[in-house]
Amino acid sequence: MNQLINLLALTALLSGCGTANKNKEDSPVSAERPNVVLIYADDLGYGDLGCYGAGHLTTHHIDALAAEGMRFTRAHASSATCTPSRYSLLTGEYAWRRPGRGIAPGDAALLIDTGITTLPSVFQEAGYATGVVGKWHLGLGPEGGPDWNGEIRPGPLEIGFNYSFLIPATGDRVPCVFVENHRVVGLEEGDPIQVNYKKKVGDWPTGKEHPELLKVHPSHGHNQTIVNGISRIGYMTGGKAALWTDENIADTLVKRAKEFISRNQDKPFFLFFSTHDIHVPRVPHERFAGKSGLGPRGDVILQLDWAVGELMQQLDRLGLAENTIVILTSDNGPVVDDGYQDQAVELLSTHQPSGWLRGGKYSAFEAGTRVPFIVRWPGKVNRGVSDALFSQVDLLESFAGLTGVKTDSLDAPDSFNMLDALLGKTKDGRPHVVEQAANGALSLVKGDWKYIEPHKGVKVMQKVNIETGAATEPQLYNLEEDPGEKENLAANHPEKVKELASLLQSVRAGENSR
């Protein structure tokens, strides 16, 4: 017993914010049982929103969300790419701790162990209805991958969600179908789906073979099976009645999300609304096409803003807005040309998707993981701006603290209970955060200082024109004085390099960071 008490005390001390291992009656707001809507954008940059300084885009609904809540300036996804960030958000564990949690192919098996505590399972234990609508990209099915023509399990329903309506991977990967719970939506008997990421299956044309059939042309890669006039990564055939139309994806996802809210309006619910809009291929609905002046990438940011407005209006109509926490954030930083010729570069004008930060998606520099993060809960979240250091990996323990759900000491090993910071009650952030670049390099931010470990590799990813942050020598930046990471101070502060390198090694070698 004394050992358990000591362990809990140590956990509280390290987190700086108390422990999530509380009884429900000990949680100060658990009786209010707020709904939670987590809007997870894809490839949305720190500088892509009006409330974060974008001058060329008008994002009315998201800006209103920020004006009515707390806008964070130092919030991070855990990785500069999507699959690891999503894994960390849902498990409370840095993805780099688990081999094989990099960017998943479209036919990957489920990457999350069904036996662990997850963000949705915390809500489920607290009596919430839980749902995920949108992009998944965390694998489906058993080892060997999903059976697209049968029951697709394990998946979201096996890790804590009661309902799921998914884009299985990404819009630029096959199969181009929706999966609802355990089945492909609209699949007709007699037209089975075949998917292969190594060799061509069936006789459907590819972008490489028949570029004349394309309405959106690839700039690099993305030249395999054509669906809806767009060539993708991977090969597929079959399932014609189930294929999506890219222009309608946002409408379909918003409709399903609103239906989930309506079905569960009489009980507390958690909705993970995972949008796809800004990820390639960027094919906006005709309502938004050409409206931004920045090409399809700008248009789909307007489409995202519309989606946010639709969900907020649904909450208002049902009288739920006052008792709903709404969070908007992104899975990683921005990228302009990510594989399709959509004029995103040519029409960028003076818009800066990364704002004043350096890098972007894939990068070890700040723009790879520092992303928009907005929290609104009327009367509960203080309005304003917070510079508290926060990571999406903290959401699991924070919401465990909110709902009073007990978590085991081995659960969510990198998640801190940051509830007070999340609600704007304090601007004290987590003690440090680890960032993961696409090349596997890790960085550590503590206070004003950022350390990037030495890593061999290309300095610029030429295809996407983004600096990777790779260097053979250590890098050290003072983010308070130099948020654009322009001056490497490692040679000037060897003691700080040694301190942060040692801390990063300790986090990496340990089983947890809290």
Side-chain angles (χ1 to χ4, degrees):
M1 179 59 71
N2 288 336
Q3 289 179 331
L4 176 60
I5 292 173
N6 290 336
L7 176 60
L8 292 177
L10 178 60
T11 302
L13 178 63
L14 290 175
S15 71
C17 301
T19 176
N21 297 325
K22 300 177 181 179
N23 294 320
K24 291 185 181 180
E25 60 267 23
D26 294 332
S27 179
V29 289
S30 62
E32 299 185 66
R33 311 262 285 176
N35 308 307
V36 178
V37 176
L38 173 56
I39 302 171
Y40 208 47
D42 198 313
D43 293 355
L44 180 69
Y46 191 85
D48 274 330
L49 302 174
C51 55
Y52 279 88
H56 286 269
L57 288 170
T58 304
T59 48
H60 295 293
H61 300 293
I62 297 174
D63 294 350
L65 202 67
E68 296 164 1
M70 182 65 69
R71 178 173 64 85
F72 287 73
T73 62
R74 299 186 70 201
H76 288 263
S78 69
S79 173
T81 55
C82 50
T83 299
S85 290
R86 292 162 193 271
Y87 177 89
S88 299
L89 179 144
L90 293 180
T91 65
E93 177 182 52
Y94 287 134
W96 47 261
R97 293 193 186 279
R98 302 289 175 182
R101 269 62 174 180
I103 301 174
D107 58 354
L110 180 65
L111 299 179
I112 297 176
D113 186 337
T114 58
I116 67 172
T117 295
T118 64
L119 179 60
S121 74
V122 164
F123 282 109
Q124 223 175 40
E125 185 174 340
Y128 280 58
T130 56
V132 53
V133 174
K135 175 182 168 179
W136 183 239
H137 208 187
L138 286 164
L140 293 166
E143 186 176 352
D147 173 10
W148 301 109
N149 304 297
E151 198 169 52
I152 302 171
R153 68 163 69 208
L157 272 59
E158 284 68 47
I159 64 160
F161 287 106
N162 301 119
Y163 173 77
S164 66
F165 185 91
L166 309 176
I167 296 171
T170 58
D172 59 346
R173 287 173 171 80
V174 299
C176 301
V177 296
F178 296 114
V179 174
E180 185 171 26
N181 296 329
H182 291 133
R183 296 277 179 177
V184 170
V185 177
L187 182 63
E188 292 182 344
E189 190 175 351
D191 187 23
I193 295 172
Q194 295 182 60
V195 171
N196 198 299
Y197 274 77
K198 295 180 180 178
K199 62 182 181 180
K200 186 176 179 181
V201 292
D203 58 359
W204 288 14
T206 67
K208 183 176 182 179
E209 297 165 340
H210 293 283
E212 74 280 3
L213 300 178
L214 298 174
K215 64 183 181 185
V216 179
H217 289 260
S219 57
H220 49 87
H222 300 86
N223 63 356
Q224 295 172 335
T225 296
I226 299 173
V227 177
N228 187 35
I230 304 168
S231 49
R232 320 280 170 156
I233 299 172
Y235 302 98
M236 77 169 290
T237 187
K240 286 184 179 180
L243 296 175
W244 67 50
T245 301
D246 297 77
E247 292 85 344
N248 297 332
I249 287 177
D251 284 37
T252 300
L253 299 183
V254 166
K255 179 176 182 289
R256 297 291 179 148
K258 290 165 69 173
E259 289 172 351
F260 175 84
I261 292 172
S262 181
R263 283 197 308 271
N264 296 287
Q265 61 182 296
D266 295 327
K267 57 171 119 20
F269 62 81
F270 165 60
L271 171 62
F272 179 33
F273 181 61
S274 179
T275 72
H276 186 272
D277 307 270
I278 307 166
H279 194 285
V280 294
R282 304 169 185 132
V283 191
H285 191 277
E286 62 181 8
R287 299 192 307 276
F288 308 101
K291 295 298 193 296
S292 70
L294 298 179
R297 187 177 185 276
D299 297 343
V300 293
I301 293 175
L302 300 185
Q303 184 170 276
L304 167 67
D305 187 61
W306 163 82
V308 172
E310 287 293 300
L311 265 60
M312 296 306 298
Q313 289 170 25
Q314 179 75 336
L315 294 171
D316 285 335
R317 277 194 296 267
L318 298 175
L320 301 173
E322 296 299 305
N323 194 39
T324 300
I325 300 174
V326 178
I327 298 174
L328 181 137
T329 188
S330 179
D331 63 350
N332 50 246
V335 58
V336 182
D337 178 358
D338 205 20
Y340 290 95
Q341 300 175 37
D342 59 5
Q343 293 190 293
V345 175
E346 295 86 341
L347 298 177
L348 192 61
S349 185
T350 58
H351 176 66
Q352 296 178 298
S354 297
W356 60 81
L357 303 177
R358 187 176 180 182
K361 183 178 181 179
Y362 309 113
S363 178
F365 291 123
E366 281 293 277
T369 64
R370 196 193 295 196
V371 291
F373 194 95
I374 299 166
V375 184
R376 176 188 185 269
W377 187 14
K380 300 294 183 181
V381 169
N382 292 329
R383 296 186 180 190
V385 179
S386 174
D387 61 359
L389 186 62
F390 187 88
S391 174
Q392 293 169 6
V393 77
D394 297 324
L395 288 175
L396 193 154
E397 280 295 326
S398 299
F399 281 120
L402 173 69
T403 57
V405 170
K406 272 191 167 185
T407 57
D408 186 88
S409 60
L410 299 179
D411 291 333
D414 299 297
S415 185
F416 288 78
N417 183 351
M418 297 293 296
L419 183 59
D420 284 348
L422 197 64
L423 299 182
K425 294 181 178 181
T426 178
K427 293 188 178 179
D428 293 333
R430 67 180 355 253
H432 51 74
V433 65
V434 177
E435 308 170 14
Q436 178 187 8
N439 60 14
L442 299 183
S443 308
L444 185 138
V445 175
K446 180 182 179 184
D448 294 335
W449 293 97
K450 176 174 178 178
Y451 165 76
I452 304 176
E453 67 180 358
H455 194 278
K456 294 180 180 179
V458 297
K459 293 189 175 182
V460 177
M461 294 179 67
Q462 297 295 340
K463 290 181 178 179
V464 295
N465 193 30
I466 289 176
E467 294 180 284
T468 65
T472 54
E473 68 279 355
Q475 296 175 73
L476 180 72
Y477 299 97
N478 186 311
L479 297 178
E480 175 65 24
E481 299 175 356
D482 179 25
E485 296 170 283
K486 296 176 182 178
E487 185 179 4
N488 182 4
L489 299 176
N492 299 352
H493 298 278
E495 74 292 341
K496 181 60 68 172
V497 170
K498 183 178 180 181
E499 173 197 341
L500 298 184
S502 177
L503 177 56
L504 177 58
Q505 178 56 28
S506 176
V507 172
R508 175 190 268 127
E511 294 182 353
N512 62 69
S513 59
R514 59 179 176 93

